[in-house]
Amino acid sequence: MSIRTSLQNGVATIEINRPDKKNALTAEMYQAMADALNRAQADPAVRAILFAGQPGMFTAGNDLEDFVQRPPKDMDAPVFRFMQALLGVDKPVVAAVEGVAVGIGVTLLLHCDLVYVADNAKLALPFVNLGVVAEFASSFLLPLSAGYVKAAEKLLLGEPFSAQEAYEMRIVNAVLPAGEVLARARATAEKFSRLPPSAVRETKKLLRHGHAGEVAAAIKREGELFCARLGAGEAQEAMTAFLEKRKPDFSKFQ
């Protein structure tokens, strides 16, 4: 299974398990994660949700070969179902990030409540490099947390950044040695089994209420433009070049 799920001590774990492809996400994996989130939301035994990858690997983002063959065409595509499912969870969501976290591997963290990252992690938001645009409301949320100039640097250049920089950008709670991340994240998630569940849920709603409308609007705005750009020449050149293992040539585009 590329997405493994389990329930222990009140924590529903969603584990990305495709190490041979650096945990790159396919349409089926997005749907599996959306289904897992919806089940966790509906299950009263679940007090918190934990996202994790493999040791040394969170996710390389979208599987570009799968994306080229089956691009999302509208807001009902599995990737957007996953976004809506995560957005709809009122229980605490914790993430444990080791190694590579690319694209949606970073933007999903903006919708988690507590994020723990390994000191060896490398994060990147390379949307423009692929001829597309930011997604999952990152064009709205990242400037809120990191400030406009830092958000512009990461979203316009798409260059990798370190775990420490992610901490300074206020998108993660703590940077830890790689071997300690999952244990810390799980221990934190399990704390919610000892707290009053409805009070936790209502507090999370209050925390997110102020920007809920803007976040939903940003996801729709970004998603529609993202889908449209997938058929444009820049994205086709970028993804073809990636699959052919060469540098893209954007010199003919204006």
Side-chain angles (χ1 to χ4, degrees):
M1 293 286 292
S2 296
I3 300 295
R4 292 177 176 171
T5 60
S6 62
L7 175 58
Q8 183 177 8
N9 297 332
V11 177
T13 299
I14 300 174
E15 178 188 352
I16 307 171
N17 179 43
R18 199 184 177 210
D20 58 316
K21 296 292 185 180
K22 296 183 180 180
N23 281 359
L25 299 166
T26 64
E28 287 84 3
M29 293 168 71
Y30 281 120
Q31 187 62 58
M33 291 194 295
D35 293 342
L37 286 166
N38 291 331
R39 287 195 303 270
Q41 172 68 9
D43 187 349
V46 174
R47 297 295 186 90
I49 297 165
L50 173 62
F51 275 106
Q54 301 302 299
M57 187 186 310
F58 189 57
T59 175
N62 289 310
D63 182 312
L64 291 187
E65 187 172 356
D66 183 72
F67 231 50
V68 168
Q69 294 175 352
R70 297 179 297 173
K73 298 183 184 301
D74 55 41
M75 298 302 290
D76 191 46
V79 61
F80 297 117
R81 293 178 199 159
F82 164 68
M83 292 181 187
Q84 292 302 323
L86 183 52
L87 205 64
V89 170
D90 62 7
K91 300 174 182 182
V93 181
V94 182
V97 180
E98 293 186 27
V100 62
V102 177
I104 199 164
V106 177
T107 61
L108 76 83
L109 304 179
L110 302 176
H111 300 272
C112 295
D113 303 294
L114 298 163
V115 180
Y116 301 96
V117 180
D119 53 12
N120 67 353
K122 292 294 182 184
L123 301 85
L125 295 162
F127 301 111
V128 295
N129 309 67
L130 295 172
V132 292
V133 296
E135 39 88 316
F136 215 170
S138 55
S139 65
F140 174 74
L141 290 172
L142 197 60
L144 283 182
S145 61
Y148 176 83
V149 294
K150 185 59 72 172
E153 177 181 280
K154 301 311 174 191
L155 289 172
L156 292 177
L157 294 174
E159 295 174 347
F161 54 100
S162 68
Q164 182 61 34
E165 193 168 1
Y167 177 77
E168 293 167 359
M169 291 165 61
R170 300 187 297 178
I171 62 176
V172 307
N173 291 83
V175 178
L176 303 166
E180 300 177 11
V181 173
L182 182 57
R184 171 71 174 276
R186 180 170 295 282
T188 301
E190 289 181 356
K191 289 181 180 180
F192 292 104
S193 294
R194 302 186 291 274
L195 293 171
S198 62
V200 169
R201 292 194 302 270
E202 293 300 330
T203 299
K204 174 170 176 172
K205 289 178 184 178
L206 289 170
L207 283 166
R208 297 194 171 245
H209 175 76
H211 297 300
E214 290 93 336
V215 169
I219 289 175
K220 185 175 186 296
R221 182 170 59 249
E222 293 169 348
E224 290 174 347
L225 185 54
F226 191 103
C227 290
R229 288 203 57 82
L230 282 175
E234 289 178 351
Q236 291 179 351
E237 166 61 16
M239 294 187 191
T240 299
F242 178 86
L243 295 175
E244 293 177 352
K245 298 181 179 179
R246 62 173 175 83
K247 290 185 178 181
D249 180 9
F250 299 121
S251 61
K252 62 183 177 182
F253 298 103
Q254 297 183 358

